[in-house]
Amino acid sequence: MTGLAQVFTSGNEAIAEGAVAAGASFYAGYPITPSSEIAETAARRLPETGGMYVQMEDELSSMAAIVGASVSGARAFTATSGPGFSLMQENLGMAVMGEIPCVVVNVQRSGPSTGMATKPAQGDVMQARWGTHGDHGIITLAPSSVQDCYDFTIRAFSLADRFRTPVILLADAAVAKLKENVRFRSPTPEERAPRPLPNCPPEAYRPFAVDPEEKVITPLPPFGSDYIFRVTGSMHDETGGQGASPANADRVIRHLAGKIEKNRDAIVRVRRFFLDDADLAVIAFGCSARSARAAVREARRQGIPAGLLELTTLWPFPDDDVRDVLSRVRGAVVPELNLGQAAGEVRRLNDFGIPVRGISRVDGTLIPPGDILSALREARS
Amino acid sequence: MTARDCREYLAENRLPTIWCPGCGNGLVLKAIAGAFADLGLDRRKTAAVSGIGCWGWADDYLAVNAFHGTHGRALAFATGIKLANPELTVVVLMGDGDGATIGGNHLIHAARRNVDLTAVVVNNYNYGMTGGQYSGTTPRGSITSTSPLGHVEDSFDLCALTAAAGAPFVARGSVCGGENLRVLIRRGLEHRGFSFVEAASVCPTHFSRRNGLRTPAEAFSWLRDHSVPRERAAGMTEEELRGKQVLGVFADHQSEDYGTRYRKAAAALRREEEPS
Ligand SMILES: Cc1ncc(C[n+]2csc(CCOP(=O)(O)OP(=O)(O)O)c2C)c(N)n1
Ligand code: SF4
Ligand SMILES: [Mg+2]
């Protein structure tokens, strides 16, 4: 199922198909609603393409296994939801510190704890950013359609390899369970490009060498090549040896944040609807961006000049795009299935003193477009 | 594969180790390098995966690929490393806290799942690195920094545990046993599937000292005097064996490993799907 085939399928299946198309060859996971179809699809599809599925004993080990597989050169991924995502945090940090590419899908459900397993939520925005301890950068993408699920999964692998980082695909139960027509396009050669090998002799290779400009990310060869090296979750010098001196620790932590921050142009993507002449902006992501799109369309029909900024990259947060929109409108509305996690980020960027109102919903149901429309109307008066 | 010098496998530029004088870890490290040398392993195709603890630093001193992960999860990282590249020989270095306490669930599932890994658990009966607290293998009655009254829990017999969980190769050696540990590790590496080798060891700084053994020499003598080969143990009563380490091989059978079984099944599926 590649090429141009149009298929009517769910977000979960599209994620697994996107991974296969991206050349993923390893999945480790532990089943959890509402993400289990990703595991089931991976278990069926990976052996067809020479890959491997392994169901681990929990999410700690699932996360660890994909990190291990990645060090052996595989494009590796896992999928989970709230409780499992919580368990993955420590070894997600291992991937951050060891600079090991991998893709983690979190199909958000209502929390905290076991919460409501089948109900959509968007409450893990900050967990995706800061769930693992310590300062670091992270990439998080948020799909709002089944096509996005497919496309963003491919992009997630490509970003992970390029920046040697875990990438989180932050889906939600609504988008993952939704069925839509999706085109299983072939990834571009760039998206499927194998990881580069170092171009130095093996003795000269430094797995944690850093370009202060963060233009060049040091390649990570697979275990088993001519390059013998050490990866570690402990503080390390360029060789992967112990490196706990203050100067070195400072350098490493700033690099872990800087390699993402300084490459925002290559990472951050947004979608703009009707923003050119908009007076009011809705800023949204994931399932709430679907409601927002409907609301903005209806607003336009009623003569309200509203537009939508859809954040398809959540981390790094699209600061420039949000600031740009805020500078042009008289008010902004941020609908989300949480108590204001993205709205807080938008307010951080509101240097313009315009009213930013959040629409929060945490009852396990979606935000009706009408609620957003009402907020737009109120913002106008 | 031809035998090589064990020094080829040691990262001599990183020596001396950070371990306390009299620690058992150095002897296990030497046994591992020796086993690698006996098998003439290609360093490029060998990976050492470690957890966190004093023993967890061992990979730093081995001149092979190394993965220094998180506390308790080394087997899970190693599972991914091996399954994604079956060419690698993967040795997993864990302490008793690391591999058998916080990582106990991974240990039994790794034994059952039977990925082709060789786990070397250095059992020094306590958490050395964090100051000598009790672990899942601390013997009942022992004093540790968190069992000042004498430990009230019973301990795991790691070989019985992993053998019961299905590991095809299970053995216990000791840092007092000369070349025996090297032989057991070599056999573990040669054995296809999950191999478990426990190295009974000493932590003179914390465990032995708190339990009346004032010097490393006393700690080693105690371990030697409380070790019994499996053959001799067979003729001893439960009472006589209390507080003793039984050394030897506890499981040694063939069982096709996960990667081989999976790849065979996948290849069969792909043949079925091929248009004939
Ligand atoms: C999740 C987590 N919990 C606790 C620790 C602290 N910690 C580091 S090593 C260790 C125990 C090590 O004991 P063991 O595995 O027996 O190794 P040893 O030091 O005895 O060789 C602990 C509790 C940690 N690093 N990570
Ligand atoms: S604390 Fe114990 S285990 Fe750790 S290095 Fe010292 S003697 Fe060895
Ligand atoms: Mg210990």
Side-chain angles (χ1 to χ4, degrees):
Chain A
M1 284 201 281
T2 50
L4 300 176
Q6 273 271 4
V7 191
F8 184 70
T9 193
S10 70
N12 274 337
E13 283 211 32
I15 288 169
E17 290 294 343
V20 170
S25 59
F26 190 85
Y27 180 99
Y30 190 89
I32 183 167
T33 302
S35 74
S36 298
E37 291 86 6
I38 302 175
E40 288 162 358
T41 310
R44 184 166 48 76
R45 293 283 282 127
L46 286 175
E48 293 173 5
T49 54
M52 190 175 266
Y53 170 93
V54 61
Q55 195 162 296
M56 298 298 288
E57 49 275 15
D58 55 31
E59 288 86 349
L60 293 95
S61 48
S62 300
M63 185 66 220
I66 67 161
V67 170
S70 177
V71 171
S72 280
R75 278 192 162 178
F77 72 120
T78 187
T80 188
S81 186
F85 193 54
S86 291
L87 286 183
M88 287 180 182
Q89 295 304 323
E90 190 194 12
N91 290 332
L92 184 69
M94 173 70 215
V96 167
M97 190 64 150
E99 301 193 56
I100 302 159
C102 55
V103 172
V104 178
V105 181
N106 174 9
V107 180
Q108 294 171 95
R109 65 190 231 183
S110 171
S113 191
T114 304
M116 295 186 283
T118 58
K119 305 291 188 207
Q122 297 179 302
D124 305 348
V125 174
M126 287 299 165
Q127 188 186 23
R129 179 65 188 91
W130 294 117
T132 198
H133 57 284
D135 269 304
H136 61 280
I138 196 90
I139 299 176
T140 300
L141 311 179
S144 68
S145 68
V146 177
Q147 186 68 51
D148 281 356
C149 286
Y150 182 82
D151 291 336
F152 290 10
T153 303
I154 295 174
R155 182 158 191 260
F157 280 101
S158 153
L159 289 170
D161 276 357
R162 179 160 168 203
F163 296 108
R164 269 184 70 176
T165 180
V167 175
I168 296 162
L169 186 74
L170 198 64
D172 56 68
V175 168
K177 289 288 187 182
L178 179 75
K179 285 196 166 186
E180 285 179 320
N181 275 326
V182 48
R183 198 171 65 86
F184 286 159
R185 67 175 177 89
S186 300
T188 64
E190 191 186 275
E191 285 170 331
R192 272 201 76 138
R195 285 184 207 156
L197 280 174
N199 52 16
C200 60
E203 320 77 69
Y205 176 60
R206 301 276 177 274
F208 296 102
V210 170
D211 164 20
E213 302 300 316
E214 303 292 1
K215 292 236 160 48
V216 182
I217 305 291
T218 298
L220 183 73
F223 275 5
S225 75
D226 286 346
Y227 295 86
I228 296 177
F229 63 97
R230 180 172 197 257
V231 285
T232 172
S234 294
M235 186 51 76
H236 48 269
D237 61 17
E238 290 198 332
T239 68
Q242 300 172 38
S245 75
N248 184 65
D250 183 82
R251 182 187 65 87
V252 170
I253 301 296
R254 288 181 195 283
H255 161 63
L256 294 178
K259 72 173 178 181
I260 306 296
E261 281 302 317
K262 291 187 182 162
N263 287 295
R264 281 173 163 272
D265 284 356
I267 299 167
V268 175
R269 296 287 180 270
V270 295
R271 288 191 180 120
R272 295 161 173 271
F273 297 94
F274 308 117
L275 276 172
D276 288 346
D277 62 343
D279 233 7
L280 296 170
V282 183
I283 301 176
F285 62 95
C287 61
S288 299
R290 298 177 73 92
S291 308
R293 223 171 303 154
V296 165
R297 248 184 242 120
E298 182 54 29
R300 286 280 169 169
R301 212 165 2 239
Q302 298 181 10
I304 305 169
L308 166 65
L309 180 71
E310 180 185 345
L311 312 178
T312 55
T313 306
L314 277 179
W315 303 115
F317 200 75
D319 287 10
D320 292 345
D321 299 282
V322 170
R323 217 184 258 116
D324 172 63
V325 166
L326 294 180
S327 75
R328 294 156 185 270
V329 294
R330 287 195 295 133
V333 175
V334 187
E336 53 190 330
L337 299 186
N338 62 50
L339 295 180
Q341 298 185 27
E345 288 301 293
V346 172
R347 290 196 183 99
R348 170 175 68 77
L349 299 161
N350 183 11
D351 300 335
F352 316 96
I354 62 164
V356 172
R357 67 184 73 200
I359 301 179
S360 283
R361 195 147 191 148
V362 288
D363 60 0
T365 67
L366 301 176
I367 298 174
D371 288 12
I372 302 172
L373 193 60
S374 309
L376 287 170
R377 262 198 229 105
E378 279 166 34
R380 235 185 143 203
S381 52
Chain B
M1 288 193 243
T2 47
R4 292 167 182 272
D5 188 330
C6 80
R7 277 172 304 185
E8 278 183 46
Y9 297 92
L10 290 172
E12 285 178 291
N13 61 328
R14 294 221 166 110
L15 298 174
T17 71
I18 55 163
W19 296 318
C20 308
C23 176
N25 286 345
L27 291 161
V28 188
L29 181 68
K30 191 171 155 227
I32 290 174
F36 284 179
D38 292 345
L39 297 170
L41 294 183
D42 181 344
R43 296 193 298 113
R44 294 168 303 181
K45 307 280 180 207
T46 306
V49 183
S50 67
I52 304 297
C54 291
W55 174 235
W57 284 116
D59 68 281
D60 216 23
Y61 308 118
L62 289 168
V64 299
N65 294 295
F67 188 105
H68 185 60
T70 51
H71 186 44
R73 319 299 166 197
L75 280 168
F77 291 112
T79 295
I81 289 171
K82 176 67 188 184
L83 291 179
N85 185 354
E87 275 192 0
L88 297 171
T89 299
V90 181
V91 61
V92 192
L93 312 174
M94 301 173 289
D96 48 300
D98 199 37
T101 312
I102 192 170
N105 198 35
H106 307 310
L107 181 65
I108 55 174
H109 284 281
R112 176 189 63 78
R113 186 175 294 121
N114 196 26
V115 175
D116 184 20
L117 304 169
T118 300
V120 179
V121 168
V122 173
N123 188 357
N124 56 16
Y125 311 98
N126 79 150
Y127 294 164
M129 174 169 263
T130 44
Q133 300 84 6
Y134 63 79
S135 80
T137 65
T138 301
R140 186 166 159 194
S142 309
I143 309 290
T144 69
S145 67
T146 48
S147 58
L149 311 175
H151 194 36
V152 297
E153 298 175 22
D154 289 314
S155 59
F156 270 141
D157 174 338
L158 299 182
C159 289
L161 182 70
T162 48
F169 184 83
V170 175
R172 182 183 290 116
S174 141
V175 292
C176 302
E179 290 300 290
N180 188 248
L181 190 56
R182 171 178 179 158
V183 174
L184 293 175
I185 294 170
R186 185 174 71 217
R187 285 179 63 183
L189 288 166
E190 283 177 311
H191 202 103
R192 216 29 202 284
F194 185 74
S195 305
F196 179 80
V197 180
E198 176 183 340
S201 187
V202 295
C203 170
T205 302
H206 296 299
F207 188 72
S208 323
R209 201 172 45 77
R210 285 202 177 87
N211 289 283
L213 306 164
R214 282 163 303 139
T215 63
E218 284 181 35
F220 274 87
S221 306
W222 186 92
L223 180 61
R224 190 193 54 223
D225 297 343
H226 289 75
S227 300
V228 185
R230 190 168 183 214
E231 302 70 43
R232 182 138 52 85
M236 291 167 69
T237 64
E238 211 177 295
E239 191 56 39
E240 289 170 321
L241 283 171
R242 186 155 300 140
K244 303 252 175 16
Q245 290 302 323
V246 181
L247 307 183
V249 175
F250 298 88
D252 187 2
H253 56 86
Q254 298 304 319
S255 170
E256 203 167 41
D257 63 282
Y258 182 96
T260 306
R261 279 190 201 168
Y262 189 98
R263 287 191 168 88
K264 274 189 189 168
L269 169 84
R270 287 198 296 272
R271 271 197 305 277
E272 250 169 53
E273 285 183 346
E274 257 169 36
S276 46

